[in-house]
Amino acid sequence: MSERTFYEFFAGGGMARAGLGQGWRCLFANDFDPKKAASYAENWGGDVLHVGDVANVATNQLPGHADLIWASFPCQDLSLAGNGAGLGGARSGTFWPFWNLVKSLRDEKRKPRTIVLENVCGLLTSHGGADFAALCNAIGDAGYWFGALVIDAQHFVPQSRPRLFLVAVDQSMNIPGHVISPYAVDMWHPHRLRTVQATLPERLRSRWLWFAPPVPKPSATRLIDIIEDEQTGPCWASEADTARLLGMMSPVNRAKIDLVMANRHRSVGAVYKRTRMEAGRKMQRAEVRFDLAGCLRTPGGGSSRQIIMMIENGRVRSRLMSARETARLMGLPDRYKLPERYNDAYHLTGDGVAVPAVRYLAENILLPVLNLREPHIVAA
């Protein structure tokens, strides 16, 4: 089988590249952030990397005819924590100059065969679904079949991280029947996705595909497995600080701690500080889980950093999650070189795409589509 080629936009530290893995060759990568770009170059080399605004990239910088364009465009204006600007915002709105490049490639007869757009699920409800409809309209007008699915990283790593993957396939290509379903599948197409899809104009719904990969095998990686054997990151907090953290827990969360302590086994939990409304006023609470870490986020403030809670022999300790532990939660191998500064590393991982989710999508949708030789008729 010939090597597949791709362009990687909004590349960050190259997590999509890590997920695609062997058998794929990157022809061009772009990111605006010089710190993330430095990590990309450190791990993958800088020969195909262009650092700068995507609006200033020209098609003559994009060599060859790529099988895939991967674009994990900025989510800040689409996330629940964002400002609600949507695709008109300064960050998420960079999708449009990127899409102008795609249209220019089409005009040059170098239209990419497949495209994957990855973002937060907030894209589905941004501006009442209008932003998602605008993306679908752009993709459909460019001559693609398309569909979306939500893949949660917890299928592969101990992190709750649902993300929206919008997959487009050139209309000239055939679609293998086993990668699509005639109807929505609950596992991949949650209610809010089905709802917004139903509001699309008929001309767009006629191009829609319900991509439905097989159910992945349960992950064998536990939260305790991501803990570093030799700690390289933040130090353990003082007993007083840990006591304050426990004091921020609701009775429900404190009961989880007491239950684990009673079992006397070494256990690891992940703690997030969140603001909750209680009795009509805002309260900062610490919430713990022992099965999964919460969704990693960029370190915009202290509350966005996850805390490790270790319980062993009746003793409770706490500390910030290390950079290497966040990388493991994203499915990055330990050989992946992280930035030396903690915040830079946390920003890199918290803003990335889960590596095994990329790999799963590539193996179960992208490669079957690209490798298909026999014709297949797609039902509208």
Side-chain angles (χ1 to χ4, degrees):
M1 190 64 63
S2 60
E3 191 175 44
R4 294 301 178 182
T5 58
F6 67 101
Y7 306 142
E8 188 177 11
F9 285 90
F10 312 102
M15 294 187 201
R17 183 168 179 168
L20 291 172
Q22 295 182 352
W24 291 84
R25 178 165 57 94
C26 185
L27 300 177
F28 177 86
N30 169 244
D31 201 277
F32 179 77
D33 188 324
K35 291 181 179 179
K36 291 180 181 177
S39 290
Y40 191 103
E42 178 76 7
N43 285 280
W44 309 108
D47 55 325
V48 300
L49 177 64
H50 173 77
V51 185
D53 192 334
V54 67
N56 297 326
V57 175
T59 55
N60 61 13
Q61 296 173 260
L62 307 177
H65 187 170
D67 293 303
L68 166 68
I69 287 184
W70 187 284
S72 294
F73 63 100
C75 67
Q76 286 86 346
D77 301 311
L78 299 164
S79 68
L80 294 177
N83 56 17
L87 289 180
R91 296 296 302 276
S92 299
T94 53
F95 169 81
W96 296 113
F98 154 74
W99 193 253
N100 287 337
L101 274 175
V102 176
K103 292 191 294 184
S104 295
L105 288 170
R106 175 198 60 187
D107 295 342
E108 295 175 8
K109 310 299 182 186
R110 291 197 291 144
K111 182 181 178 183
R113 297 173 179 89
T114 57
I115 299 173
V116 176
L117 307 177
E118 181 262 344
N119 215 288
V120 295
C121 295
L123 173 58
L124 293 170
T125 52
S126 177
H127 290 158
D131 284 335
F132 182 74
L135 286 190
C136 293
N137 186 68
I139 294 169
D141 283 352
Y144 286 91
W145 304 105
F146 63 91
L149 65 165
V150 173
I151 302 177
D152 196 324
Q154 70 173 285
H155 295 307
F156 315 102
V157 290
Q159 179 194 177
S160 174
R161 192 182 187 84
R163 285 296 184 267
L164 182 72
F165 295 83
L166 208 162
V167 181
V169 180
D170 184 1
Q171 65 184 4
S172 68
M173 299 183 65
N174 300 309
I175 312 293
H178 70 276
V179 305
I180 57 175
S181 169
Y183 43 78
V185 178
D186 287 345
M187 181 172 188
W188 307 118
H189 312 118
H191 177 72
R192 55 180 166 171
L193 172 55
R194 299 196 301 268
T195 298
V196 74
Q197 189 271 349
T199 67
L200 295 176
E202 172 58 30
R203 67 180 182 83
L204 294 179
R205 282 188 284 118
S206 69
R207 290 185 169 275
W208 184 272
L209 301 173
W210 291 113
F211 289 107
V215 176
K217 296 179 180 179
S219 172
T221 305
R222 303 166 300 165
L223 187 56
I224 198 170
D225 296 330
I226 67 105
I227 300 301
E228 289 189 278
D229 293 330
E230 296 182 7
Q231 187 181 336
T232 62
C235 296
W236 292 102
S238 67
E239 291 186 6
D241 286 342
T242 298
R244 277 192 289 271
L245 187 66
L246 291 170
M248 294 171 61
M249 292 185 177
S250 67
V252 170
N253 279 272
R254 185 54 199 259
K256 296 179 186 178
I257 301 293
D258 294 339
L259 180 62
V260 171
M261 289 182 68
N263 288 335
R264 310 296 294 180
H265 297 300
R266 181 175 184 263
S267 300
V268 170
V271 180
Y272 247 134
K273 294 178 182 177
R274 303 183 188 275
T275 300
R276 301 295 191 191
M277 290 295 297
E278 297 182 11
R281 60 194 184 99
K282 293 182 178 180
M283 295 281 292
Q284 190 177 41
R285 289 296 194 183
E287 300 179 357
V288 63
R289 292 187 66 167
F290 289 92
D291 56 342
L292 297 172
C295 183
L296 288 175
R297 301 168 185 166
T298 55
S303 62
S304 68
R305 295 171 175 85
Q306 286 201 63
I307 297 168
I308 289 293
M309 183 162 280
M310 179 82 73
I311 301 177
E312 189 173 16
N313 296 324
R315 182 188 180 194
V316 182
R317 294 188 294 165
S318 65
R319 62 167 170 80
L320 289 175
M321 186 176 289
S322 76
R324 178 56 62 191
E325 288 160 353
T326 69
R328 290 173 178 174
L329 282 179
M330 296 301 291
L332 284 167
D334 283 356
R335 65 178 180 275
Y336 185 92
K337 299 173 185 176
L338 293 168
E340 292 184 3
R341 293 187 68 249
Y342 177 75
N343 272 10
D344 292 344
Y346 207 119
H347 194 277
L348 182 78
T349 56
D351 214 18
V353 57
V355 169
V358 176
R359 184 172 301 121
Y360 193 77
L361 189 109
E363 291 176 350
N364 291 282
I365 295 178
L366 299 178
L367 287 175
V369 167
L370 292 168
N371 294 342
L372 182 66
R373 296 185 181 277
E374 296 181 3
H376 178 84
I377 303 299
V378 178

